[in-house]
Amino acid sequence: MASEEELFANIDALLEEEPQLPPPAERARLREAAGITQARLAQALKSTVQTVKNYENGRSEPKEPRLSAYQRLLRGWAAKYPAPGTPAVPAAPQPAMPETFTGPAAPEPQGEAPAPVQAPAAPERPARPTARPAATSRRPAAKKAAAPALDPRFPNGPLAVLDGDGSAYGVDGIVLDCPATTVVELVEWTLREAGLGAPKLNRYGKDQDPLIVLTASAAAKLGLPERLEDRRGLRLPEDHPVVKQVTKAKWQLTQRGFGPWPRIYRKTQSKERQCVQLAVLPWDALDDRSWPGVAEMEPADIARVLGTYAQRVITPRGGTAVNGLELMTALRPPTRPVRDEETGNWVPGHNQGSLGTEPLAPAPPEARPEHPLVFGSWSGGFVNEEAYRWTRDIDLVTAEEVALPFAVGLDLNAAFLASSARLMVGLSEPEHFVRPQFYPKVPGCWLVDLSHIELDPRLPSPFTFDGSRPTGPAWYQTHTVAYAQELGYNVEILEAYLRRETGAYLDPWHDRLKTAYAQTMADLGVTPDLTDAEFLAAMEVHKQTDPAMAAVLAAVKGTVKGGIGKLFEKPQGATYRDGEEWPAMKRPTWAPWIRNAVIAKSRVNMHRKLANMVKLTGMYPLAVLSDCVVYPTPSASPLDFLPYAESGKPIPGGFRLGSTPGLAKLEGVQSMAWAVDLMEQGYNPASHVKGGDAALDDGE
């Protein structure tokens, strides 16, 4: 039987586990009721204003000896300024053992919430007792866009960033207390206690699995090595203790194993999914190509970047290219429940408008030369729809153009995203036709000779990515052939591969990413209501306005570009041999004809603007690289040479400034002499007009 001493010791331990301070909102209320500023309180506590802010928004908790001093102050204020409905009581003398604060919490503020407070460079960690349920603290939500309603199943948001001391930083300033010391404990804590995850993006889809991001200290605590020895496979060996620990506990890893983005799951026994996504920071999970600068941020700021991205786009599952593809499937699930007429049971059936559960075979000209469908058996040529890489012949640059002082680069915002809007694509197997009539609204690929079309050589040809004139029959996507018809030329189709089932597969993908792009630009001070002059000024400083939101913007752009690229992913690895299958082509989302459609439409849109600029201003481009064009100009400002009506409004048809996808921004300004020098050396000025050594990629 337990002794009296043991019983009292147990009771004391329970008392110590109770909260020792009032809720964060009540702390702020008491200070304001006393008329004390955060700066004055920080001075009294021998601390900083930022630390006091953290106490009052729940980002951190004081430790001794500051804890006792802060307790005493709050207890005195609580006696003088009780919460509404609570009678005032005289302050009690300070007891030998700290008492537990039991006063009521301050009422939730109404109306617009204040902006979040940034985390300090080295935030104080919350004090964490050894045995208690996961504790949470919240800070106010950000301004501007209204926060989405929380799903009661996931009260703490989609993800958390775990540090080595057990603090798991979530969205909106939440800090969870994670007691896990092994990967298995972490997975079970995440699913049972953390309250993390996100609802499905489509009624027929699946809930988004929770993401735990491991800092270097957290990874070391869980027994993971500082770096992966397998630099090619990028995964732990199967005999590593952590992998053995996971499998012994009846958890499974996906085919990519335990790498920078491991998924740990159990097969669903009920409707509840059991799957956790991890991201291991010391293994370059957040590489700079997808998440520029994010890996070097503090855990709370990493959580803000990834959490914002998760709420606006999708919970990250890898690099932005992977997320772009995953988002397509999440918004257009391949199956939906249908009733079996014979049994009356609900079974998975094809979801109209999706790509289905099995990969569709490409038409021979839509495949890659190494694809097993065509390798060694097809000599009919391939569709070659790519983004522009064109430089005007230096001999076609006039003396008047050379005499101009500037070369100005204009770049289209998220051009591939703009091109995916209302884009009809094929969703069934291709069918072969010989000498069919051309239908400009039927997606597919067409064999046609466009070499007879002669256009101004000071503009790139709209039919080839390098801007050269076609030399004979070639395969083109529908938008390219339709543009030839739009220019007034006869198109005589020799062959075609068309699909009977079509749909605007990318529409929900476009709409979600366009909204995410606009919200993030607004966070950076760039909104559609700005005048052109205000827009140019805002764009000069938008990346410095908020580095975290600038990283989100880069990730949204990368999601667009990478997602489109993944539709035609090529074989990877030195061991691959032509004619063999490769993993990407076995995905239902390996759909090169959709990528062809996006890029063809984007390139045609660019040529249409270039041609209209000639009509409106008489200006010809020096070079084009994907969605960037360089012009010789008399002024460094686009406001002085872009087409405007007398009313001051932009004339439709040419390049227009603005923050919306498809509109233009200033990419860079150089001297005309600089551009001519590059052209004479065979380089593309659009690759370097931004300045520095970084060339542009293949678009956004």
Side-chain angles (χ1 to χ4, degrees):
M1 188 171 179
S3 66
E4 184 178 355
E5 272 186 19
E6 290 174 325
L7 291 173
F8 274 83
N10 291 341
I11 296 303
D12 289 342
L14 287 176
L15 288 173
E16 288 175 4
E17 289 185 17
E18 293 180 8
Q20 299 188 357
L21 290 171
E26 176 68 357
R27 302 170 201 175
R29 186 196 71 80
L30 290 171
R31 177 185 54 75
E32 292 169 355
I36 303 298
T37 64
Q38 289 178 329
R40 188 174 172 190
L41 176 54
Q43 185 178 17
L45 293 174
K46 302 295 184 183
S47 184
T48 65
V49 174
Q50 183 62 64
T51 299
V52 171
K53 289 180 179 179
N54 290 341
Y55 295 165
E56 293 185 357
N57 62 37
R59 289 288 294 272
S60 65
E61 299 287 331
K63 299 177 182 177
E64 294 294 359
R66 195 169 288 127
L67 173 61
S68 295
Y70 195 31
Q71 274 181 324
R72 182 173 184 175
L73 178 64
L74 292 175
R75 189 174 291 108
W77 281 343
K80 289 184 178 179
Y81 313 107
T86 303
V89 294
Q94 182 70 16
M97 178 177 290
E99 294 180 358
T100 299
F101 188 95
T102 57
E108 288 294 325
Q110 301 296 315
E112 187 177 6
V117 179
Q118 296 296 316
E124 286 192 48
R125 309 297 189 197
R128 180 164 49 88
T130 56
R132 68 176 182 186
T136 66
S137 56
R138 291 181 178 272
R139 65 177 176 178
K143 280 185 179 181
K144 298 180 182 176
L150 282 178
D151 189 307
R153 297 170 299 158
F154 313 117
N156 294 324
L159 56 86
V161 181
L162 181 63
D163 214 345
D165 68 351
S167 298
Y169 295 83
V171 299
D172 297 328
I174 293 173
V175 182
L176 304 175
D177 184 18
C178 176
T181 58
T182 68
V183 169
V184 170
E185 289 177 358
L186 175 62
V187 170
E188 293 176 350
W189 171 83
T190 302
L191 293 174
R192 296 174 184 172
E193 300 182 43
L196 296 173
K200 55 193 174 187
L201 298 179
N202 181 283
R203 61 182 297 193
Y204 301 129
K206 300 175 182 177
D207 290 332
Q208 300 175 64
D209 300 317
L211 167 66
I212 301 292
V213 181
L214 303 180
T215 62
S217 58
K221 179 180 177 181
L222 297 173
L224 299 174
E226 185 176 349
R227 66 188 300 272
L228 284 173
E229 297 299 329
D230 181 3
R231 303 309 299 166
R232 175 173 292 179
L234 289 177
R235 63 180 65 193
L236 289 179
E238 292 185 4
D239 60 353
H240 190 278
V242 170
V243 176
K244 292 167 71 174
Q245 170 201 113
V246 169
T247 55
K248 184 179 179 181
K250 308 298 183 185
W251 291 97
Q252 299 182 51
L253 294 164
T254 59
Q255 290 184 349
R256 60 183 177 181
F258 204 116
W261 287 89
R263 291 175 70 80
I264 303 175
Y265 71 98
R266 280 184 181 147
K267 291 186 178 178
T268 304
Q269 302 296 327
S270 62
K271 293 183 179 180
E272 295 293 328
R273 282 173 62 82
Q274 295 189 78
C275 184
V276 174
Q277 176 76 66
L278 303 182
V280 187
L281 290 187
W283 299 352
D284 298 325
L286 298 182
D287 65 279
D288 267 353
R289 293 171 301 172
S290 295
W291 309 99
V294 178
E296 288 73 40
M297 294 180 178
E298 290 295 315
D301 294 319
I302 295 175
R304 181 176 174 229
V305 171
L306 299 184
T308 302
Y309 179 90
Q311 291 169 334
R312 294 177 181 178
V313 182
I314 193 172
T315 303
R317 305 178 188 183
T320 49
V322 171
N323 298 333
L325 208 60
E326 293 279 359
L327 182 63
M328 293 180 196
T329 303
L331 293 168
R332 291 277 199 192
T335 63
R336 65 182 182 88
V338 295
R339 187 180 292 278
D340 187 320
E341 296 299 333
E342 293 184 3
T343 65
N345 296 329
W346 290 96
V347 296
H350 176 62
N351 185 23
Q352 192 73 20
S354 77
L355 284 172
T357 57
E358 297 296 326
L360 293 173
E366 293 171 341
R368 302 186 67 92
E370 63 269 28
H371 195 288
L373 176 71
V374 297
F375 181 69
S377 62
W378 173 260
S379 57
F382 296 93
V383 178
N384 195 19
E385 300 284 12
E386 298 293 342
Y388 267 135
R389 292 182 181 178
W390 171 82
T391 304
R392 197 201 309 179
D393 188 328
I394 190 66
D395 294 334
L396 297 177
V397 180
T398 66
E400 291 79 5
E401 289 175 318
V402 172
L404 292 171
F406 299 105
V408 174
L410 299 175
D411 183 73
L412 297 181
N413 302 314
F416 291 169
L417 181 61
S419 298
S420 68
R422 314 300 173 254
L423 179 69
M424 298 298 290
V425 299
L427 299 175
S428 59
E429 296 283 350
E431 298 182 34
H432 184 230
F433 297 86
V434 177
R435 294 195 174 275
Q437 182 180 348
F438 176 66
Y439 297 96
K441 293 187 178 181
V442 175
C445 60
W446 312 76
L447 182 62
V448 59
D449 189 350
L450 301 179
S451 61
H452 64 285
I453 298 178
E454 186 170 356
L455 300 173
D456 193 319
R458 290 173 292 179
L459 291 177
S461 167
F463 312 126
T464 61
F465 74 92
D466 62 359
S468 61
R469 182 174 175 174
T471 58
W475 290 96
Y476 301 98
Q477 198 274 338
T478 298
H479 285 86
T480 303
V481 183
Y483 189 58
Q485 196 175 64
E486 179 185 323
L487 293 174
Y489 295 94
N490 179 50
V491 291
E492 185 176 345
I493 306 300
L494 303 176
E495 293 182 61
Y497 284 91
L498 311 175
R499 289 173 165 81
R500 294 186 183 275
E501 183 183 341
T502 63
Y505 173 72
L506 292 176
D507 261 12
W509 187 82
H510 162 271
D511 294 348
R512 185 166 178 85
L513 285 169
K514 181 181 178 181
T515 300
Y517 183 91
Q519 289 175 332
T520 310
M521 288 288 278
D523 288 340
L524 295 170
V526 186
T527 55
D529 59 343
L530 298 178
T531 65
D532 284 1
E534 291 170 339
F535 168 73
L536 291 173
M539 288 298 293
E540 285 185 8
V541 298
H542 77 289
K543 291 184 179 179
Q544 289 75 45
T545 301
D546 186 338
M549 289 301 101
V552 174
L553 181 65
V556 172
K557 293 179 180 180
T559 303
V560 174
K561 173 180 174 287
I564 296 299
K566 278 278 187 181
L567 292 168
F568 201 11
E569 187 175 1
K570 62 183 180 180
Q572 307 287 337
T575 60
Y576 176 77
R577 297 293 179 266
D578 289 351
E580 297 176 351
E581 293 186 335
W582 64 93
M585 62 166 282
K586 298 179 183 179
R587 293 192 312 247
T589 48
W590 194 80
W593 58 93
I594 298 181
R595 177 185 180 272
N596 290 341
V598 173
I599 294 181
K601 183 179 176 182
S602 182
R603 195 184 64 247
V604 163
N605 286 345
M606 172 64 82
H607 189 276
R608 190 180 287 111
K609 291 180 184 296
L610 297 175
N612 285 335
M613 283 289 288
V614 174
K615 297 174 185 176
L616 295 170
T617 67
M619 297 172 63
Y620 289 86
L622 296 174
V624 184
L625 182 68
S626 187
D627 44 21
C628 178
V629 56
V630 175
Y631 278 106
T633 63
S635 168
S637 173
L639 298 175
D640 297 329
F641 61 80
L642 288 180
Y644 289 91
E646 290 185 4
S647 63
K649 293 184 177 181
I651 299 177
F655 292 100
R656 295 178 55 189
L657 297 175
S659 61
T660 304
L663 298 187
K665 61 179 180 290
L666 179 64
E667 182 70 9
V669 179
Q670 303 290 341
S671 70
M672 185 60 185
W674 167 90
V676 170
D677 183 55
L678 280 183
M679 294 170 72
E680 289 177 338
Q681 297 179 60
Y683 296 115
N684 187 322
S687 297
H688 307 281
V689 71
K690 192 173 185 177
D693 296 328
L696 290 175
D697 54 27
D698 290 336
E700 297 174 1

